């Protein structure tokens, strides 16, 4: 069961996982050692999956985002596994979600420029049969981030 301090610790760490324990402890009114134990408990309980660095897409040369909506005529477990393998080997595809509705999947693709989408598209369709792929270029990011709401955690 999470308490208010645990939730605050999770909020602080997901904003900046490299925040010194002493600073986190001060903000949640704990000693550094008690705060460290809580963080370790949160990690062991699976609330904290990993501590990672968020990289700057502009500096890495992939500022463009394209969302690809995918339709397929195949829905077998074997096909889905083949699809997972095909997209996992393409680094520019950074997210993939199975959907309800008219399309089966949505892919988030990061690129150096829009024209590079064709390179990714060709690599994908060489690996797996797709019925239809429609691409949409993101014009502006209105909200972005990995931070999750912590109020629902038990």
């Amino acid at each position: 069961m999470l308490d208010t301090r645990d939730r605050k610790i999770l909020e602080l760490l997901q904003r900046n996982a490299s925040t010194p324990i002493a600073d986190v402890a001060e903000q949640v009114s704990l000693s550094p050692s008690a705060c460290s134990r809580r963080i370790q408990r949160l990690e062991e309980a699976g609330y904290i999956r990993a501590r990672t660095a968020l990289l700057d897409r502009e500096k890495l040369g992939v500022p463009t985002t394209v969302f690809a909506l995918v339709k397929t005529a195949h829905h077998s477990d074997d096909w889905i596994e083949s699809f997972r393998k095909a997209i996992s080997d393409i680094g520019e595809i950074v997210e993939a979600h199975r959907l309800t509705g008219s399309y089966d999947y949505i892919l988030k693709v990061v690129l150096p420029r829009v024209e590079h989408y064709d390179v990714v598209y060709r690599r994908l369709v060489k690996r797996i049969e797709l019925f239809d792929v429609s691409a949409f270029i993101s014009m502006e990011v209105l909200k972005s981030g990995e931070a999750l709401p912590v109020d629902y955690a038990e």
Side-chain angles (χ1 to χ4, degrees), residues 9 35 89 142:
I9 289 169
C35 185
D89 292 341
L142 301 176

Side-chain angles (χ1 to χ4, degrees), residues 113-127:
R113 60 189 181 287
V114 171
E115 295 81 9
H116 190 77
Y117 173 72
D118 190 51
V119 173
V120 174
Y121 172 81
R122 288 173 188 262
R123 285 185 4 224
L124 179 61
V125 297
K126 280 182 185 177
R127 296 166 187 233

Side-chain angles (χ1 to χ4, degrees), residues 49-62:
R49 290 189 330 200
R51 297 190 203 190
T52 62
L54 296 177
L55 305 180
D56 186 296
R57 289 180 42 194
E58 293 280 339
K59 290 186 186 285
L60 291 173
V62 287

Side-chain angles (χ1 to χ4, degrees), residues 13-122:
L13 290 179
Q14 72 177 336
R15 270 193 239 137
N16 184 355
S18 65
T19 303
I21 296 287
D23 293 351
V24 174
E26 183 179 330
Q27 292 184 56
V28 297
S29 302
L30 287 172
S31 69
S33 60
C35 185
S36 180
R37 284 191 300 272
R38 279 189 183 237
I39 292 170
Q40 183 177 1
R41 182 176 50 82
L42 291 166
E43 287 174 333
E44 290 168 358
Y47 289 99
I48 301 171
R49 290 189 330 200
R51 297 190 203 190
T52 62
L54 296 177
L55 305 180
D56 186 296
R57 289 180 42 194
E58 293 280 339
K59 290 186 186 285
L60 291 173
V62 287
T64 304
T65 303
V66 171
F67 292 95
L69 290 169
V70 175
K71 286 184 184 182
T72 180
H74 307 282
H75 299 281
S76 71
D77 290 343
D78 288 343
W79 186 91
I80 293 170
E81 191 54 39
S82 296
F83 183 64
R84 281 181 214 257
K85 173 111 177 73
I87 61 176
S88 71
D89 292 341
I90 300 172
E92 292 90 344
I93 300 174
V94 296
E95 283 187 40
H97 300 266
R98 191 165 58 93
L99 305 173
T100 63
S102 302
Y103 287 90
D104 298 306
Y105 300 92
I106 186 168
L107 309 177
K108 180 178 179 183
V109 185
V110 297
L111 305 163
R113 60 189 181 287
V114 171
E115 295 81 9
H116 190 77
Y117 173 72
D118 190 51
V119 173
V120 174
Y121 172 81
R122 288 173 188 262

